[in-house]
């Protein structure tokens, strides 16, 4: 039996958070400081659901190459981007132009490219929700030389960080380090990477003057609406210095999550929340953009770029498997039966309890209805009707 590091036995203060904690990955590598790291990690998981991780073990060169190639990809002419239009992929992979994505039933003002670690398409007799994985669409090598290599190298590096964090989370919850291993694909982890470009304010009225919820009275607009991520953990690199990312605490207040150099923003997803019975909290978050966020002392910053990697469980996990994790009583006792305010759609809650594959499939249908119209019209109609009935 593997020996677990001893965590600090303290009572977690479950009052709502007012800032995002910063954890130092190097502390997890030393026997002397690891207990302190695990104690801070436990508190971040239970109270906040968000934390910064500084000194991450992802090579700077890998990050730099990926960022350069990603910005070049976003700067391609529209006709080149549309060669890998997401609507051509039944796996929801590829390019989604501005105005084609919705969150909380409102239009997001961003364009996004989604790529997945290598997976074959499921067979014709497999459950339809397994189509959340399959081959990625890649841009032509001549258009962005080296993009695929840089992206796959970066995704592999973040995948190694994900393996390490999976063990550390288990230890923070006083479980065996390998407690979560059975919930993941072993040979190739199912990690999805997004390259995201958020519109500058000048683009918004020109593109979507009539779109739903584009601009608010204070001039802010929805980069991406209030939501919870689907997976286990999300590893976000905020590429540019723009503010706008916000996390919603348990009283409903939005807390800024500004970029900090050489850190990842890591947050808990619905899958980790479900499998821990709500002990680890999937915190609602959004990107809420204001014109002033695109300037620094009068200097225009241009578009906001970010790159989240979503670490996800095996999509074929059943409800019973998802609920099979047993936490120690002193860990489950950390969470009070408190009511949490959230602007994320509660419609998805029960679907994610059914299993990560089913929940993710439904979420992707609602986020990318154009893909649903082409490949899954019956399922899309059912989901959208259920979404409307839930709200009403």
């Amino acid at each position: 039996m593997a020996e677990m590091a001893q965590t600090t036995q303290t009572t977690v203060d479950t009052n709502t958070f007012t800032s995002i904690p910063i954890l130092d990955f190097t502390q997890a590598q030393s026997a002397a400081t690891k207990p302190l790291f695990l104690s801070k990690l436990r508190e971040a998981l239970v109270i906040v659901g968000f934390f910064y991780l500084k000194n991450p073990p992802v090579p700077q060169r890998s990050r730099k190459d990926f960022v350069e190639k990603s910005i070049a990809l976003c700067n391609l002419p529209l006709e080149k981007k549309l060669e890998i239009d997401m609507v051509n992929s039944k796996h929801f992979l590829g390019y989604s132009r501005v105005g084609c994505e919705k969150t909380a039933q409102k239009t997001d003002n961003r364009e996004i490219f989604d790529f997945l670690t290598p997976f074959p398409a499921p067979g014709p007799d497999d459950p339809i929700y397994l189509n959340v994985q399959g081959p990625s669409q890649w841009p032509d090598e001549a258009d962005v030389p080296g993009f695929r290599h840089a992206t796959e190298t970066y995704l592999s590096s973040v995948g190694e960080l994900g393996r390490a964090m999976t063990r550390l989370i288990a230890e923070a919850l006083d479980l065996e380090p390998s407690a979560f291993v059975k919930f993941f694909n072993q040979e190739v982890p199912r990690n999805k990477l997004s390259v995201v470009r958020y519109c500058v304010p000048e683009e918004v009225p020109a593109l979507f003057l009539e779109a739903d919820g584009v601009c608010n009275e204070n001039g802010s607009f929805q980069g991406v609406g209030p939501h919870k991520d689907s997976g286990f953990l999300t590893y976000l690199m905020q590429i540019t210095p723009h503010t706008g990312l916000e996390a919603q605490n348990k009283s409903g207040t939005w807390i800024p999550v500004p970029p900090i150099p050489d850190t990842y923003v890591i947050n808990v997803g619905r899958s980790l929340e479900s499998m821990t019975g709500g002990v680890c909290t999937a915190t609602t978050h959004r990107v809420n953009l204001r014109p002033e966020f695109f300037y620094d002392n009068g200097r225009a910053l241009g578009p906001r770029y970010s790159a989240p990697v979503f670490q996800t469980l095996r999509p074929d996990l059943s409800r019973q498997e998802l609920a099979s994790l047993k936490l120690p009583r002193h860990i489950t006792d950390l969470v009070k039966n408190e009511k949490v305010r959230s602007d994320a759609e509660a419609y998805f809650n029960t679907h994610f309890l059914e299993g990560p594959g089913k929940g993710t499939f439904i979420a992707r249908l609602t986020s990318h209805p154009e893909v649903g119209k082409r490949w899954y019209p019956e399922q899309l109609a059912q989901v959208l009707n259920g979404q409307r009935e839930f709200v009403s």
Side-chain angles (χ1 to χ4, degrees):
M1 181 179 293
E3 182 179 353
M4 291 187 293
Q6 294 297 312
T7 56
T8 304
Q9 295 296 316
T10 57
T11 301
V12 173
D13 179 4
T14 56
N15 289 329
T16 192
F17 65 93
T18 57
S19 62
I20 308 301
I22 302 174
L23 279 65
D24 187 344
F25 188 79
T26 59
Q27 288 187 333
Q29 308 310 300
S30 166
T33 55
K34 188 174 184 180
L36 177 61
F37 178 89
L38 294 177
S39 179
K40 291 180 177 179
L41 178 58
R42 176 190 292 182
E43 189 164 340
L45 294 169
V46 174
I47 301 174
V48 188
F50 261 75
F51 59 93
Y52 293 98
L53 186 71
K54 69 178 183 179
N55 297 316
V58 179
Q60 288 279 4
R61 180 66 184 179
S62 174
R63 283 184 261 174
K64 181 175 182 293
D65 288 349
F66 167 69
V67 166
E68 289 177 354
K69 302 297 184 185
S70 295
I71 293 177
L73 176 68
C74 291
N75 287 333
L76 287 176
L78 179 61
E79 59 268 22
K80 285 293 184 180
K81 299 175 186 178
L82 291 175
E83 291 179 2
I84 56 171
D85 195 330
M86 188 180 289
V87 77
N88 297 323
S89 168
K90 66 191 305 182
H91 313 295
F92 302 90
L93 298 171
Y95 173 65
S96 178
R97 73 174 89 182
V98 182
C100 287
E101 185 184 18
K102 288 182 176 289
T103 304
Q105 302 184 59
K106 291 187 178 181
T107 301
D108 297 325
N109 292 283
R110 63 179 189 171
E111 60 179 347
I112 187 168
F113 297 84
D114 281 346
F115 305 95
L116 189 67
T117 43
F119 279 98
D125 297 327
D126 289 326
I128 195 169
Y129 62 82
L130 291 184
N131 280 300
V132 294
Q133 63 186 31
S136 295
Q137 297 188 88
W138 295 97
D140 192 298
E141 178 67 15
D143 293 332
V144 190
F147 173 79
R148 180 169 182 174
H149 174 73
T151 299
E152 291 183 332
T153 300
Y154 176 72
L155 193 51
S156 176
S157 296
V158 178
E160 290 304 310
L161 170 60
R163 291 181 191 273
M165 288 304 303
T166 299
R167 297 177 68 86
L168 290 169
I169 288 175
E171 293 181 82
L173 299 176
D174 281 350
L175 298 169
E176 291 291 328
S178 61
F180 290 111
V181 170
K182 65 182 180 180
F183 299 101
F184 292 90
N185 289 317
Q186 294 308 302
E187 293 185 6
V188 180
R190 187 192 178 280
N191 295 333
K192 181 171 74 72
L193 180 149
S194 297
V195 175
V196 189
R197 176 190 176 274
Y198 290 89
C199 296
V200 296
E202 293 79 10
E203 292 178 86
V204 176
L207 288 170
F208 304 111
L209 191 60
E210 303 300 324
D212 52 348
V214 167
C215 290
N216 300 316
E217 291 182 359
N218 63 359
S220 67
F221 58 96
Q222 176 169 303
V224 61
H227 67 284
K228 298 181 178 184
D229 290 344
S230 302
F232 185 80
L233 291 178
T234 301
Y235 304 83
L236 173 69
M237 177 165 52
Q238 299 195 80
I239 294 174
T240 49
H242 304 70
T243 55
L245 177 62
E246 300 171 335
Q248 190 174 34
N249 68 19
K250 295 179 181 180
S251 65
T253 302
W254 290 100
I255 307 300
V257 191
I260 298 177
D262 196 33
T263 68
Y264 281 92
V265 175
I266 300 180
N267 63 277
V268 173
R270 289 181 184 268
S271 294
L272 179 54
E273 181 179 64
S274 295
M275 66 198 308
T276 59
V279 171
C280 297
T281 181
T283 296
T284 301
H285 53 288
R286 67 183 183 184
V287 175
N288 186 44
L289 297 174
R290 299 179 184 177
E292 59 265 30
F293 293 171
F294 291 84
Y295 293 88
D296 180 21
N297 294 321
R299 178 177 63 91
L301 297 175
R304 179 183 187 268
Y305 291 96
S306 68
V309 173
F310 303 93
Q311 180 188 20
T312 55
L313 306 179
R314 287 173 23 222
D316 62 343
L317 283 174
S318 67
R319 180 178 189 141
Q320 292 73 25
E321 289 174 302
L322 196 64
S324 66
L325 187 73
K326 302 301 180 185
L327 297 178
R329 178 65 180 271
H330 68 278
I331 296 295
T332 59
D333 284 348
L334 294 174
V335 178
K336 300 175 182 177
N337 292 323
E338 55 191 353
K339 188 170 181 61
V340 177
R341 286 192 57 187
S342 170
D343 289 350
E345 287 188 273
Y347 169 71
F348 297 110
N349 292 349
T350 56
H351 294 292
F352 276 95
L353 290 174
E354 291 295 325
K358 295 178 182 178
T360 300
F361 181 71
I362 290 172
R364 296 296 276 173
L365 282 174
T366 60
S367 294
H368 299 282
E370 295 303 314
V371 178
K373 287 177 185 177
R374 175 166 182 178
W375 298 101
Y376 312 105
E378 293 181 10
Q379 290 80 9
L380 177 65
Q382 292 172 1
V383 169
L384 293 181
N385 185 58
Q387 197 177 29
R388 287 189 293 267
E389 289 180 351
F390 185 89
V391 172
S392 61

